[in-house]
Amino acid sequence: MPVSVVRRERGRRWAVVAVVAVALVALPSLVAALRPAGPAADAGHLRDLVLGSAGKPYQGLAQSRGSLAIPELPDLADVSALFSTTTTTRAWYAGPDRYRVAVLTTTGEHDVYHLPEGEYTWDYGANMLTRLTGDAAVRLPRAGDLLPPELARWALRSAPADPVSTLPPRTIAGIPAAGFRLVPADPETTIGGVDVWADPGTGLPLRVEVTARGQRAPMLTAEFEDVEQTAPVVTAPVPAPGSGFTATNAPDLSNALGALGRVRLPPKLGGRPVRTANFGGVQGAALYGSGLAAFAVVAVPRAVADGAADAAGKAGGTAITMPRGTAVQLSVTPLSLAIVRPPSSRRGYLLAGLVAPPVLAAAAADLATLRRSGR
């Protein structure tokens, strides 16, 4: 699901692998409200259309709103804001390899141009155009990931076999949309349901709501205010007169993490088998479990683990009782985080996922018992 520049130092100070989503609960316009919603569609068929919609072009304006009480992590204020505030985004999407996303603010905008030859970022406030070359294997969430199409496809790809049911249709951005609800089958995930409304003809997702288990109101939503399903022209930006220009390699968290050393993670943690080893091309990073109940584990130097544990403790984290080593756990519904520091080790581990805290506690206990971890 991939647009901001992440410096290597940020990854070293707090490497959080987590999945996110945000959005909007916007009132429809009077004209849209007067239009009748479309007929209900078969949930399974609509799900297939949404999964196959990556090639459908569009251009439009979306707002996002999140209600997650995520603390400001060191050097990651922008990421925290995506989860807890309103974000207004305009997108021009010609295809997976050619699009432009602009985050609109009261002082200007910040654009990302994604093209086959690389990416560009335009910072209105700094009056700076930057060209990025190469693709980042692992990066932090960005505004483009929170557009309804990206969020919907991520959720469905994460839970390919979980059941879906039909929702009442509704009109969104003037389009009669059909809807369905995905209910995660794994009881250990903290996600209770994902609601998606999409164009029943093209499968383009128009609104997404994510609700935590045990809650009634969605904690994350994403919706188009207006959208046209036409192909935009997206080309490389030209530096404006008087603006700055620079070129650099795309910042990649995998480079920062990979430089921290090679660690072989176990095939199972907390009773859950490894799902993706060497996540993002990094030996020492892996995904465990399945569906939306998967969680990530990253091995880091002890100094990074100590700094992360300190930050988690100040944010309200609690110590996990273990026979060996120390661990701190922080829960910000629906996200669970844990930092493990095995005894007599030069490394620690960061864990994160949309899972119940006991799942990470069990995985943390297993990591703490690894013999001569990181030595």
Side-chain angles (χ1 to χ4, degrees), residues 33-97:
L34 293 175
R35 294 176 181 171
D42 175 76
H45 175 65
L46 187 60
R47 174 182 187 157
D48 292 340
L49 284 178
V50 170
L51 282 170
S53 66
K56 304 295 183 180
Y58 66 85
Q59 46 190 318
L61 179 71
Q63 274 196 331
S64 64
R65 182 175 298 150
S67 59
L68 283 74
I70 295 180
E72 282 198 11
L73 304 175
D75 286 339
L76 294 181
D78 290 345
V79 177
S80 298
L82 285 178
F83 299 160
S84 58
T85 62
T86 298
T87 302
T88 301
T89 307
R90 182 168 289 280
W92 297 263
Y93 182 89
D97 63 346

Side-chain angles (χ1 to χ4, degrees), residues 96-362:
D97 63 346
R98 187 178 294 274
Y99 56 82
R100 173 188 172 192
V101 178
V103 178
L104 309 180
T105 68
T106 56
T107 59
E109 63 183 76
H110 186 282
D111 294 31
V112 172
Y113 295 76
H114 182 86
L115 304 168
E117 64 268 24
E119 285 191 346
Y120 297 82
T121 64
W122 165 249
D123 190 326
Y124 178 91
N127 198 27
M128 176 64 71
L129 178 66
T130 302
R131 179 178 180 178
L132 307 175
T133 57
D135 293 322
V138 181
R139 60 167 176 77
L140 293 171
R142 57 195 187 187
D145 300 328
L146 308 177
L147 290 164
E150 298 301 322
L151 177 57
R153 289 192 289 263
W154 165 78
L156 297 181
R157 287 194 299 263
S158 299
D162 289 1
V164 294
S165 58
T166 301
L167 289 173
R170 58 194 303 177
T171 299
I172 301 170
I175 299 175
F180 65 87
R181 172 172 295 167
L182 179 147
V183 178
D186 194 327
E188 296 296 343
T189 180
T190 51
I191 299 299
V194 180
D195 294 351
V196 178
W197 283 270
D199 185 324
T202 64
L204 180 70
L206 303 171
R207 179 180 173 93
V208 182
E209 298 179 356
V210 181
T211 304
R213 189 176 297 277
Q215 297 184 1
R216 299 182 62 182
M219 59 186 179
L220 301 167
T221 61
E223 184 177 57
F224 280 116
E225 286 193 326
D226 65 68
V227 64
E228 296 180 5
Q229 298 187 63
T230 56
V233 176
V234 181
T235 58
V238 178
S243 65
F245 177 79
T246 184
T248 184
N249 292 329
D252 190 345
L253 279 179
S254 69
N255 291 336
L257 296 175
L260 302 181
R262 306 302 182 195
V263 179
R264 184 182 298 277
L265 293 173
K268 182 179 292 186
L269 284 176
R272 300 198 168 219
V274 65
R275 170 177 167 181
T276 304
N278 300 334
F279 177 68
V282 181
Q283 185 176 343
L287 291 177
Y288 290 83
S290 60
L292 289 170
F295 60 90
V297 178
V298 182
V300 296
R302 187 56 175 257
V304 175
D306 289 342
D310 181 63
K314 292 178 179 179
T318 58
I320 302 175
T321 301
M322 298 189 303
R324 302 182 69 235
T326 62
V328 177
Q329 190 161 28
L330 176 65
S331 296
V332 183
T333 304
L335 181 64
S336 293
L337 306 171
I339 302 94
V340 181
R341 293 174 289 179
S344 303
S345 172
R346 293 184 296 179
R347 288 199 178 87
Y349 300 92
L350 307 182
L351 298 80
L354 300 170
V355 294
V359 174
L360 290 192

